[in-house]
């Protein structure tokens, strides 16, 4: 099919069906790697497949938190099809081509973000060459590129909920409840030159209750992707349904913490409080890592957040005097301090390049963000992503740059504007980003040390909490303080011995750990601290020589695909289904 004839789709009852229906063989793939390098396919060394190192701990050298996250959307689609479905996540170019040659697929779906247009175009060409009769489906944020149908040779470009679209396209379980895949939140974790992956229960399960955000900030591509302001897609509408899924994930994966991939989980207060009620009734000491706006957090007392199990929160701070309603009237400094005093680690997110930012005030803007002293701090450029109100506004004003002026592969939010800023001169934005990250690191120290401070504060405050669930959770979260965290702090203290301010801060923290946990913390600091100092120096040297990390390739099949012959062994995808429909349904869990 010619690219100009590609169909732009959202999930709809009138969607035309694939002729083979649920017998169609489906391949779902993420874009090809390698990723952390500059190449002709659009990979960029500044844009590795590592969320934290890419956008949060970017300048922290050996202290940067390095880990990868799977393509959760593809896993969610696969878990909800009875049609034979294979997922190829993080393939190399060679591995993708091998799968096309031997797979005999009827449908090939490719998921991507906007900046990977070069890769998606090449992957479509490869599909046409090896599987000329296959239907090509493109999804993810790239689907919002207005003229994508003219850029890539695809048959369908899907905007919005891919699960609903595929179910209708294949006439497959259209009205069935959503099944949730078993997803480990992160893999390949490293810090200070050491692998930090532990037992299965030490890694959170990913939980996806909803997608989209009804707040609809003008720059938010996720909100725009799922309907925009006032809209979202709820996979689990009630607290009973959510608790049921959490219970099953906890049992199946042997985990006790959840990374909740919901743009604003706490915004639905009644659902969150119902989950709390069921957690208390069934004595679940779970830890929750959530995304939340400041105004949603303010709807809860700190005690409620502690009892719900909120252990980590990703919160938009955006910028000093920003006009976003989610920050209206909120003392963000007080909010952050309050959360941290209860052991809730905070990842603050700030924007560089808002319309009122200028060469004259940008240092004040950065200083304002750094003073929050969040445990992590994400910095992103103010970037108009296709599909967002900001993109429409700047497009109408004639301020967007053309592809010849700004390659889409460089629009990853860390180096260049893809438009003409009203006050900041062209070319300064990359340095401003480095300036912001560097000042946060130099003034507040490594994030791993900040985490230790906040975790210790929570332990000291709540180790004698009247709720045994809270005591249990705090004890579990505090376990590393006497061992790995003591060693990390001791190593950082040695690493920064030429920085009196940071050295003194780490000296105080190490003293607090030893006073609270005694000989074990002292021994860990003495022995483990020296080891981690050495591995940190070694890692710093490797990074200085251009060392980078790449994710493993994952090859997974659902039950229908597993029954078919294939050349390579593939892992079987696993999922759980919701059995709760009303409040009493959760009573079965004890």
């Amino acid at each position: 099919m010619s690219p100009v004839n590609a169909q732009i789709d959202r999930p709809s009852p009138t969607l035309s069906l694939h002729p083979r229906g649920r017998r169609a063989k489906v391949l779902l793939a993420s874009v090809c790697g390698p990723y952390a390098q500059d190449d002709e396919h659009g990979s960029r060394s500044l844009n590795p497949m590592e969320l934290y190192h890419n956008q949060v701990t970017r300048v922290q050298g050996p202290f940067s938190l390095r880990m990868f996250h799977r393509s959760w959307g593809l896993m969610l689609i696969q878990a909800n099809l009875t049609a034979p479905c294979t997922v190829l996540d993080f393939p190399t170019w060679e591995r993708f081509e091998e799968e096309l040659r031997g797979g005999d697929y009827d449908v090939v779906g490719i998921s991507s973000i906007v900046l990977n247009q070069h890769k998606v175009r090449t992957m479509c060409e490869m599909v046409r060459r090896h599987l000329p009769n296959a239907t090509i489906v493109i999804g993810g944020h790239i689907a919002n590129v207005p003229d994508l149908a003219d850029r890539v040779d695809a048959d369908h470009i899907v905007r919005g909920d891919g699960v609903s679209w595929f179910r209708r396209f294949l006439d497959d379980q259209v009205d069935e409840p959503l099944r949730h895949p078993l997803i480990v939140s992160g893999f390949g974790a490293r810090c200070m030159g050491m692998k930090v992956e532990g037992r299965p229960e030490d890694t959170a399960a990913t939980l996806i209750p909803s997608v989209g955000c009804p707040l609809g900030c003008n720059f938010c591509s996720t909100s725009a992707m799922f309907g925009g302001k006032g809209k979202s897609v709820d996979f689990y509408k009630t607290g009973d349904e959510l608790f049921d899924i959490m219970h099953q994930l906890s049992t199946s994966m042997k985990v006790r913490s959840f990374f909740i991939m919901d743009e604003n989980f706490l915004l639905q207060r009644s659902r969150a409080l119902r989950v709390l009620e069921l957690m208390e009734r069934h004595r679940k000491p779970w830890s929750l890592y959530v995304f939340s706006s400041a105004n949603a957090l303010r709807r809860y007392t700190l005690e409620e957040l502690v009892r719900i199990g909120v252990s980590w929160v990703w919160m938009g701070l955006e910028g000093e005097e920003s006009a976003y309603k989610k920050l209206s009237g909120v003392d963000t400094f007080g909010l952050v301090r309050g959360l941290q005093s209860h052991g809730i680690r905070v990842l603050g997110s700030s924007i560089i390049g808002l319309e009122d930012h200028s060469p004259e005030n940008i240092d004040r803007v950065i200083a304002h963000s750094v003073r929050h002293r969040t445990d992590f701090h994400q910095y992103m450029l103010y970037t108009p992503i296709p599909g967002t109100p900001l993109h429409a506004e700047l497009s109408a004003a004639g301020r967007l740059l053309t592809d010849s002026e700004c390659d889409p592969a460089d629009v990853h939010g860390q180096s260049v504007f893809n438009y003409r800023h009203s006050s900041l001169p062209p070319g300064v934005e990359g340095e401003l980003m480095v300036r912001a990250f560097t000042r946060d690191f130099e003034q507040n120290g490594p994030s791993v040390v900040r985490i230790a401070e906040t975790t210790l504060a929570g332990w000291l405050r709540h180790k004698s909490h009247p709720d045994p669930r809270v005591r249990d959770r705090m004890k579990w979260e505090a376990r590393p303080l006497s061992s790995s965290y003591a060693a990390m702090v001791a190593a950082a203290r040695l690493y920064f011995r030429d920085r009196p301010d940071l050295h003194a801060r780490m000296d105080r923290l190490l003293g607090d750990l030893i006073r609270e946990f005694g000989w074990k913390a002292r021994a860990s600091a003495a022995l483990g601290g020296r080891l981690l100092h050495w591995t940190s120096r070694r890692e710093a040297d490797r990074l200085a020589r251009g060392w980078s990390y790449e994710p493993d390739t994952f090859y997974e099949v659902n039950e229908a695909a597993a029954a078919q012959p294939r050349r390579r062994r593939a892992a079987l995808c696993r999922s759980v289904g919701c059995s709760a429909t009303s409040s009493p349904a959760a009573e079965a869990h004890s």
Side-chain angles (χ1 to χ4, degrees):
M1 179 179 288
S2 169
V4 297
N5 294 321
Q7 186 170 324
I8 310 298
D9 294 325
R10 283 191 180 273
S12 167
T14 61
L15 177 68
S16 59
L17 304 181
H18 189 280
R20 298 202 66 201
R22 69 193 68 179
R23 293 180 296 110
K25 293 178 63 176
V26 180
L27 172 65
L28 301 176
S30 56
V31 296
C32 296
Y35 308 97
Q37 65 179 38
D38 298 318
D39 65 24
E40 71 277 12
H41 298 296
S43 291
R44 294 292 185 265
S45 57
L46 267 179
N47 188 41
M49 191 63 76
E50 301 173 80
L51 175 62
Y52 285 94
H53 186 65
N54 185 326
Q55 302 175 6
V56 182
T57 55
R58 175 179 156 188
V59 304
Q60 295 190 21
F63 297 96
S64 181
L65 180 58
R66 314 295 297 259
M67 71 167 66
F68 304 100
H69 304 279
R70 291 289 306 280
S71 299
W72 299 336
L74 298 183
M75 299 174 74
L76 195 63
I77 294 171
Q78 181 186 48
N80 285 281
L81 295 179
T82 61
C85 182
T86 300
V87 164
L88 187 61
D89 207 3
F90 310 127
T92 62
W93 291 102
E94 295 78 13
R95 181 67 186 85
F96 181 64
E97 186 165 36
E98 175 192 324
E99 192 63 24
L100 295 179
R101 283 175 170 170
D104 192 27
Y105 291 103
D106 301 297
V107 180
V108 178
I110 301 170
S111 178
S112 174
I113 55 178
V114 173
L115 58 89
N116 285 317
Q117 295 176 41
H118 300 304
K119 292 189 177 187
V120 172
R121 181 169 58 248
T122 303
M123 292 174 74
C124 289
E125 292 169 354
M126 293 171 69
V127 176
R128 292 291 187 226
R129 184 164 62 251
H130 295 291
L131 297 172
N133 296 320
T135 299
I136 300 177
V137 182
I138 306 300
H141 291 283
I142 194 173
N144 280 327
V145 174
D147 61 345
L148 186 65
D150 299 325
R151 294 169 178 250
V152 302
D153 185 4
D155 300 298
H156 295 274
I157 296 171
V158 180
R159 296 173 177 171
D161 175 10
V163 173
S164 295
W165 188 90
F166 262 101
R167 281 178 159 185
R168 292 194 179 280
F169 183 55
L170 302 177
D171 191 23
D172 190 356
Q173 303 192 105
V174 173
D175 297 317
E176 292 298 309
L178 189 89
R179 294 190 63 81
H180 198 292
L182 274 57
I183 308 174
V184 176
S185 62
F187 68 95
R190 298 179 64 89
C191 189
M192 302 175 73
M194 297 282 285
K195 293 182 178 180
V196 295
E197 292 179 303
R199 298 170 297 181
E201 60 265 32
D202 292 331
T203 304
T206 295
L207 174 67
I208 310 174
S210 312
V211 289
C213 177
L215 292 187
C217 294
N218 68 331
F219 59 83
C220 182
S221 58
T222 305
S223 176
M225 185 175 178
F226 295 101
K229 192 175 184 66
K231 298 179 181 179
S232 62
V233 178
D234 293 329
F235 296 134
Y236 305 105
K237 297 180 183 295
T238 70
D240 295 273
E241 293 172 339
L242 202 52
F243 179 85
D244 180 78
I245 291 295
M246 294 169 75
H247 174 80
Q248 292 188 64
L249 292 176
S250 175
T251 302
S252 300
M253 301 176 69
K254 296 180 171 56
V255 300
R256 53 181 295 166
S257 59
F258 298 90
F259 183 95
I260 301 182
M261 188 59 249
D262 184 310
E263 292 291 315
N264 208 338
F265 174 69
L266 295 174
L267 197 60
Q268 297 193 38
R269 179 174 164 83
S270 60
R271 184 177 67 175
L273 291 182
R274 177 59 178 163
V275 170
L276 168 59
E277 179 184 345
L278 293 169
M279 286 172 62
E280 290 181 330
R281 183 180 303 174
H282 303 290
R283 301 180 297 279
K284 301 298 184 184
W286 293 330
S287 297
L288 309 184
Y289 310 138
V290 306
F291 293 79
S292 180
S293 58
N295 65 347
L297 283 165
R298 282 189 20 171
R299 298 172 64 191
Y300 300 80
T301 65
L302 286 167
E303 177 64 16
E304 283 177 325
L305 294 174
V306 168
R307 287 167 48 222
I308 290 172
V310 175
S311 171
W312 181 99
V313 61
W314 189 314
M315 177 175 60
L317 301 172
E318 314 314 357
E320 186 179 14
E321 300 178 358
S322 66
Y324 296 106
K325 290 184 178 180
K326 64 185 180 182
L327 295 164
S328 179
V330 179
D331 172 13
T332 53
F333 293 102
L335 179 58
V336 170
R337 295 291 178 271
L339 293 167
Q340 291 174 323
S341 72
H342 286 264
I344 299 174
R345 293 153 287 186
V346 180
L347 192 159
S349 179
S350 293
I351 297 173
I352 299 297
L354 290 170
E355 285 290 348
D356 63 338
H357 291 179
S358 67
E360 291 73 31
N361 67 21
I362 194 64
D363 284 317
R364 190 189 76 231
V365 166
I366 292 172
H368 176 269
S369 68
V370 170
R371 285 201 304 274
H372 282 88
R373 285 189 60 190
T374 53
D375 300 87
F376 294 94
H377 212 123
Q378 177 196 42
Y379 289 96
M380 294 291 288
L381 290 173
Y382 194 48
T383 303
I385 300 297
T388 63
L390 178 61
H391 188 275
E393 174 190 341
L394 296 184
S395 178
R399 292 172 56 190
L400 294 179
L401 300 178
T402 65
D403 287 0
S404 61
E405 294 173 304
C406 181
D407 191 321
D410 294 316
V411 188
H412 45 70
Q414 290 294 310
S415 62
V416 299
F417 288 132
N418 60 338
Y419 64 101
R420 297 171 184 85
H421 196 278
S422 58
S423 301
L424 294 170
V428 303
E429 59 268 35
E431 187 278 325
L432 294 180
M433 291 294 289
V434 174
R435 190 188 307 179
F437 280 116
T438 301
R439 288 188 181 173
D440 177 66
F441 182 45
E442 289 180 344
Q443 292 187 35
N444 296 323
S447 287
V448 292
V449 173
R450 303 181 221 176
I451 291 172
E453 289 178 314
T454 300
T455 304
L456 179 60
W459 165 252
L460 294 174
R461 186 167 197 140
H462 294 298
K463 62 182 179 181
S464 300
H465 194 280
D467 185 341
R469 290 184 320 106
V470 175
R471 294 199 303 273
D472 187 327
R473 178 170 70 84
M474 290 295 169
K475 182 178 180 181
W476 180 73
E477 292 182 356
R479 286 177 309 150
L481 289 175
S482 62
S483 53
S484 56
Y485 278 134
M488 286 180 180
V489 174
R493 178 172 168 268
L494 289 171
Y495 197 93
F496 292 102
R497 55 191 162 198
D498 295 330
R499 287 286 309 280
D501 51 343
L502 290 179
H503 184 271
R505 179 177 161 192
M506 293 165 196
D507 195 52
R508 290 191 298 272
L509 176 58
L510 185 58
D512 292 340
L513 291 171
I514 291 172
R515 277 188 292 276
E516 180 65 20
F517 298 104
W519 68 267
K520 187 175 181 181
R522 187 183 299 276
S524 297
L527 301 176
R530 292 191 182 94
L531 172 62
L532 286 180
H533 179 250
W534 178 79
T535 59
S536 295
R537 289 293 181 188
R538 180 187 63 180
E539 182 77 351
D541 291 341
R542 295 169 79 185
L543 296 174
R545 294 194 301 270
W547 184 269
S548 62
Y549 293 98
E550 297 286 349
D552 295 332
T553 298
F554 290 82
Y555 187 48
E556 295 169 343
V557 293
N558 63 4
E559 289 187 5
Q564 298 178 337
R566 61 187 58 245
R567 299 179 182 181
R568 285 177 176 255
R569 292 185 60 183
L572 183 66
C573 80
R574 301 167 60 207
S575 62
V576 296
C578 181
S579 60
T581 56
S582 60
S583 299
E587 295 291 337
H589 302 306
S590 60

